[in-house]
Amino acid sequence: MTKQDHVRIFDTTMRDGEQSPGAAMTMADKIEIARQLDSMGVDIIEAGFPAASNGDFEAVRAVGTVLENAVLCGLSRAGPKDIERCAEAIKSAKRFRIHTFISTSPIHRKHKLNMEAHQVLDAVTASVTLARNFTDDVEWSAEDATRTERDFLKRCVEAAIRAGATTINIPDTVGYSFPDEYRELFRDLIESVPGADKAIFSAHCHNDLGLAVANSIAAVQGGARQIECAVNGLGERAGNAALEEIVMAFRVRGADLPFQTNIDSPQLMRVSQTVARVTGFPVQFNKAIVGKNAFSHESGIHQDGMLKHTETYEIMRPEDVGQGATSLVMGKLSGRHAFKKKLEELGYTLADNALNDAFQRFKELCDRKRHVFDEDIVALVDDQIAHGDDAIQVSRLRVVAGTEGPQTAEIDLTINGEAVWRTARGNGPVDAIFNAIKEAAPHEADLDLYQVHAVTEGTDAQAIVSVRLSAGGRSASARASDADTLVASARAYVAALNRLNALSGGRISAQHSAA
């Protein structure tokens, strides 16, 4: 590929994506996602905001140690302390980038920065100059660029390039632009700013009007050669441009969009599932590319066309994005070796102990379901990977429910290796379960979200339950799966509590009282 037709994929799932309420990731989560993004061919991985906290600093540094090909990027405000902290975190990687930014729009200058235009311009030069002392790979962003006066934006871009920025990001921070005007903005900047040919221009689009992907593609048509995006479109508010949608748009519409990326598209589904599991944010069924229904056809007319020729209603193949056909070959008579082989086909490599635990849960699932689908196995293993080492575990659950009431739950938890039993009543079985958990592991967290959906079809389908808890200004999401919806509910609540505890340094869940 030539420089001209290659579009760099800059992934910000672990930085901008993590800013979604409840989507906080642990260091282990970030390392797992980073390995998959690196393997998939992402060019630049923005792993966090090192100056934001010690946890973010350490996570960025840890991610750098596992990257084989991708450039590690850390975000930094324009101040010296931020830039120096970022430089210290990213030097663990083979290749690294400092991404520094400052707001440029009138509304941000007045209400956020309390700075005059000339002060912002000086800060652009100073921040990029300082960043270049630590690396030759410096990206500069004009926050809220699409609401910035064009002449002033050009002056800022020119100053950044003159100071040594090698990538210029023109973000649509609030998702305000339309594709035509965003395309024209890039074309104008690239054609009229002195020295523009010395830098790669980048698009970073938010999805407030549902136009993030369209705007990102328009930017490339206008001359941008880097797109900043996130897996599953994760991000604050309505999210960022979805990585998987951009990659497949270039692949499917190559005649009209003669641009290429380094992404190995059959890995898209696996990465999507990992991000959904880690964040506790389920992928909506009708999500483009990676949604459960993206390649499903229920209409009789559509099914007839598909049987005659798949291209009648599919513009890409499921296997192109890692959505293979569902298989029914696994069952209660399947052995450990066959199960291990199936996991490898699904993209999992488990150590012996983890494999044994997963195989045991698989056998238990086979006793409860007539058919075990690939999706069931994915849910089962993801659940184990996400929560197998949690400090608080659900050991046993018994629920009494029905029309007569009251609904009662008895729960056995293992808390740091110690067994705790409690019982509680509630307004329904789920409320009773959550009350029993609060009795066993006292805490002050509030329940912000409770969602249930089925992994596959049928009355014996596994349930995936998503829970979001918040306390002390922090929130955490988690999900869990089980053939019993109530068991999945208990596990998801406990998993979210574990994650919230980890984010809060163990302050949310009080030490349990003696039985």
Side-chain angles (χ1 to χ4, degrees):
M1 289 183 287
T2 65
K3 177 181 178 182
Q4 193 62 24
D5 63 18
H6 175 222
V7 175
R8 299 175 180 178
I9 296 298
F10 177 113
D11 180 89
T12 188
T13 305
M14 293 183 285
R15 199 278 301 170
D16 203 331
E18 192 186 24
Q19 293 176 202
S20 301
M25 306 172 195
T26 65
M27 184 187 300
D29 293 336
K30 287 193 172 187
I31 289 174
E32 180 182 6
I33 293 172
R35 289 184 189 276
Q36 292 188 20
L37 293 174
D38 192 33
S39 171
M40 189 171 67
V42 167
D43 298 283
I44 303 100
I45 297 176
E46 190 170 52
F49 196 161
S53 68
N54 288 334
D56 232 30
F57 176 89
E58 294 299 338
V60 171
R61 185 159 61 178
V63 166
T65 65
V66 303
L67 296 183
E68 295 293 335
N69 301 300
V71 174
L72 174 67
C73 180
L75 185 68
S76 165
R77 288 167 297 196
K81 290 183 178 179
D82 269 36
I83 293 171
E84 291 165 2
R85 186 71 166 160
C86 182
E88 182 66 22
I90 62 174
K91 68 181 184 180
S92 61
K94 296 177 181 177
R95 297 189 296 155
F96 45 82
R97 169 183 297 185
I98 293 177
H99 179 192
T100 184
F101 73 96
I102 192 169
S103 296
T104 55
S105 69
I107 192 169
H108 277 222
R109 296 197 308 261
K110 179 179 179 180
H111 297 289
K112 178 182 176 181
L113 300 178
N114 192 27
M115 293 173 67
E116 298 295 332
H118 70 89
Q119 294 174 302
V120 170
L121 196 59
D122 289 344
V124 172
T125 298
S127 60
V128 174
T129 300
L130 177 59
R132 277 300 300 258
N133 288 336
F134 300 104
T135 175
D136 292 337
D137 191 347
V138 174
E139 176 171 341
W140 176 78
S141 286
E143 185 177 10
D144 205 24
T146 53
R147 295 193 296 174
T148 300
E149 314 97 309
R150 185 69 61 88
D151 287 344
F152 181 64
L153 181 60
K154 289 181 179 180
R155 291 170 63 196
C156 289
V157 170
E158 181 181 0
I161 294 173
R162 191 185 307 117
T166 51
T167 301
I168 299 293
N169 184 32
I170 308 297
D172 186 23
T173 303
V174 293
Y176 179 76
S177 284
F178 282 173
D180 286 348
E181 60 192 22
Y182 201 51
R183 180 188 304 112
E184 189 276 331
L185 172 60
F186 275 86
R187 185 172 289 125
D188 184 23
L189 293 174
I190 292 171
E191 291 178 353
S192 62
V193 172
D197 59 317
K198 299 176 183 178
I200 297 292
F201 278 72
S202 177
H204 180 118
C205 298
H206 280 265
N207 205 38
D208 298 73
L209 293 176
L211 296 171
V213 171
N215 282 335
S216 298
I217 292 171
V220 172
Q221 292 173 320
R225 287 299 178 267
Q226 175 177 289
I227 293 179
E228 305 188 5
C229 46
V231 176
N232 298 339
L234 195 67
E236 56 185 334
R237 303 189 314 278
N240 290 282
L243 182 153
E244 61 278 359
E245 295 177 25
I246 288 167
V247 168
M248 293 311 295
F250 287 145
R251 179 163 178 168
V252 172
R253 296 299 302 272
D256 301 295
L257 298 170
F259 311 107
Q260 299 178 8
T261 72
N262 288 331
I263 301 299
D264 180 25
S265 64
Q267 296 190 49
L268 287 170
M269 188 64 181
R270 180 72 198 108
V271 175
S272 169
Q273 292 170 337
T274 298
V275 171
R277 166 176 55 80
V278 161
T279 60
F281 280 39
V283 177
Q284 66 193 60
F285 281 13
N286 64 333
K287 168 75 172 66
I289 313 299
V290 293
K292 179 180 178 181
N293 291 346
F295 296 93
S296 297
H297 307 272
E298 187 168 336
S299 162
I301 296 174
H302 285 209
Q303 289 176 345
D304 179 68
M306 285 292 295
L307 290 171
K308 292 174 179 175
H309 198 292
T310 57
E311 290 185 12
T312 54
Y313 288 103
E314 284 187 353
I315 60 173
M316 64 193 106
R317 301 178 305 165
E319 54 266 36
D320 290 339
V321 301
Q323 282 226 40
T326 297
S327 170
L328 293 175
V329 298
M330 299 302 295
K332 64 171 58 183
L333 299 179
S334 299
R336 186 177 181 278
H337 180 75
F339 179 70
K340 180 180 180 181
K341 180 70 174 178
K342 169 58 69 177
L343 291 182
E344 291 173 352
E345 292 174 1
L346 295 173
Y348 296 93
T349 301
L350 301 183
D352 286 344
N353 289 340
L355 177 63
N356 290 337
D357 291 343
F359 184 59
Q360 181 61 38
R361 289 191 63 188
F362 164 71
K363 285 294 191 177
E364 293 171 357
L365 183 62
C366 290
D367 288 334
R368 302 165 74 181
K369 288 198 66 183
R370 293 188 300 273
H371 303 298
V372 176
F373 296 81
D374 285 0
E375 294 95 330
D376 289 312
I377 298 174
V378 167
L380 179 152
V381 178
D382 279 349
D383 194 37
Q384 177 182 317
I385 292 173
H387 314 307
D389 296 324
D390 284 351
I392 307 173
Q393 301 269 357
V394 176
S395 301
R396 185 189 70 89
L397 177 68
R398 180 176 180 271
V399 180
V400 178
T403 58
E404 296 181 2
Q407 285 74 37
T408 305
E410 298 176 5
I411 194 161
D412 286 357
L413 298 181
T414 301
I415 304 178
N416 294 318
E418 183 178 346
V420 181
W421 172 87
R422 289 292 186 272
T423 183
R425 294 179 177 180
N427 183 22
V430 175
D431 188 48
I433 291 169
F434 293 173
N435 288 340
I437 294 171
K438 281 190 175 183
E439 290 289 331
H443 60 274
E444 300 300 325
D446 294 321
L447 177 65
D448 295 336
L449 173 72
Y450 173 77
Q451 276 185 346
V452 182
H453 71 266
V455 176
T456 56
E457 289 75 24
T459 57
D460 64 348
Q462 282 197 99
I464 289 185
V465 175
S466 298
V467 167
R468 182 186 302 155
L469 299 177
S470 63
R474 298 178 181 271
S475 63
S477 300
R479 64 180 191 170
S481 62
D482 196 89
D484 188 318
T485 304
L486 297 180
V487 173
S489 299
R491 287 177 174 165
Y493 189 99
V494 167
L497 183 60
N498 277 301
R499 184 174 288 271
L500 192 58
N501 265 322
L503 293 172
S504 305
R507 295 188 299 271
I508 301 304
S509 179
Q511 189 72 21
H512 63 276
S513 57

